Amino acid sequence: MTSFTPPIHGSNPHLPFGDQQDSPFYGQDILSVKQFDRAKLEYIFGVAHEMYEMVARVGSFDLLKGKILANLFYEPSTRTSSSFTSAMERLGGSVIPINNVSYSSVTKGESLPDTVRTLEAYADVIVLRHPEIGSSALAAKYAKKPVINAGDGAGEHPTQALLDLFTIHEELGRVDGLTVTMMGDLKYGRTVHSLSRLLTLYDVKLNYVAPEMLRMPAEIKAEIGAKGLPQAAYESLEPVIGETDVLYVTRVQKERFEDPSKHEELKGSYVVTTETMAKAKDEMIVMHPLPRVWEIDMAVDDDPRAAYFRQMEYGLYIRMALLAMVLGKA
Ligand code: NCD
C-alpha cells in the first residue's frame, strides 16, 4: 500500500525561508537546564544583552514578524506569562494567550498531547506551564515545534534559572567565586532546583537555609555533589548571611502542600528584614523569583542590594533571546 502524504505536510513546513538553521537552539525544545553548558550560556547572555540595548533604543523591532507564540498556562502566572508575551510582541510577533485553561477544551477533557498538537497547527513555538513534573517533556514528545518549559510542577523552571543567572552576571559582574545562599521552600520550589543545577557549571559555594520539612531534595543535592560543588544546609540564615554574595529567597509553595495546616506553621519563619540586611555584605544582592508573599519585608525594597524587581526585567531580555534563538533568528 502506498502511504498517503497530505499536500501541506509533504514538504517540511517547519523550515521557512530566512531562518538561520545554524542558530544555536534553532527548532529545539527548552525543557531543562541540563541542556546548557557555559559556552551556550555566554551566547544566550550575549543575545539577551543585545535585546536589552535594542529595547532601550527602539522599544520593539521586527525580528520575529509573522511568527506566533502559543502561551499555554495551566497554573497561575503574572511574570512568566506576561514577559513571554511582551518578548514576542517587542520582537514583532504575536501571541495566542491561553492563560486560563478552564475556558479552553482542557475543561472538556482534552489531553495535553492533543492540546499541544492543536496549538502547533497555529503557532511556531509553544510556552507551557503545567502542574505535573515532566509535562513539558511529554508535550515536546508530541509536538514537532519547539516547546519551552515555563515550569512543570515542582520539577524545573529553566527560563527562570537563565534569567536568575543573567541577573547575577549583570549585577555582580561574575559568577565564579560567589557564595549563593538559597532560603525558603527548597523542596517544592522549582526555581531553586533549576538554578542550583545550572550553578554546577560554575565555581560557587551553595548554602541552603530551610526548615526541615522544606529541605533541598536529596537527589538534587546528590547531583550537585557529584559535580564537586561545596554545599551546606542550615536551619537559620544567621551563620551564613555575612559570607553571602547572592541571597536567593523563595516563597513557600503552598499549592503543593497536601496538608494546608502545615503551610500555616511555616508562615513568617524565614523573613528578610532591614536587620537581616544590616548583617549582609555591602556588595551583595537579594533575589526572589516573585511573587513575594511575606518572605521579604517591604522595607528592604529601597535597599540598593534588593535586586528582585530588576531581576524580573532581565527576564524579558532572556525570553526575547530564547524566542529569537529557537525560531532561528539569533
Ligand atoms: C515562580 C514559579 O512559578 O515557580 N514564579 C515565577 O515564575 N517567577 C516562583 C513562585 O511561584 O514562587
Side-chain angles (χ1 to χ4, degrees), residues 109-169:
E110 186 165 64
S111 68
L112 181 61
D114 283 4
T115 302
V116 297
R117 281 184 288 211
T118 305
L119 290 171
E120 73 171 350
Y122 311 137
D124 302 290
V125 54
I126 298 169
V127 168
L128 173 69
R129 170 170 290 185
H130 193 281
E132 276 160 38
I133 295 179
S135 48
S136 292
L138 176 74
K141 190 173 149 204
Y142 288 91
K144 293 186 202 74
K145 303 216 180 138
V147 171
I148 301 180
N149 180 2
D152 60 328
E156 280 223 33
H157 195 346
T159 69
Q160 178 73 41
L162 289 175
L163 79 87
D164 291 341
L165 195 65
F166 186 54
T167 303
I168 298 172
H169 189 271

Side-chain angles (χ1 to χ4, degrees), residues 76 79-80 129 157 160 190-191 251 253 255 288-291:
R79 274 151 289 272
T80 307
R129 170 170 290 185
H157 195 346
Q160 178 73 41
R190 54 193 170 202
T191 67
R251 170 182 73 88
Q253 309 279 299
E255 66 275 32
H288 192 305
L290 302 176

Side-chain angles (χ1 to χ4, degrees), residues 28-49:
Q28 287 183 30
D29 305 305
I30 308 288
L31 302 177
S32 162
V33 290
K34 292 176 189 161
Q35 290 167 252
F36 306 116
D37 57 28
R38 276 179 80 141
K40 285 180 182 146
L41 290 173
E42 268 156 40
Y43 188 89
I44 297 169
F45 293 169
V47 178
H49 201 88

Side-chain angles (χ1 to χ4, degrees), residues 252 254 257 259-268 294:
V252 176
K254 66 172 185 200
F257 279 60
D259 177 359
S261 67
K262 291 268 188 269
H263 166 251
E264 289 302 312
E265 275 173 37
L266 294 162
K267 230 170 161 176
W294 42 255

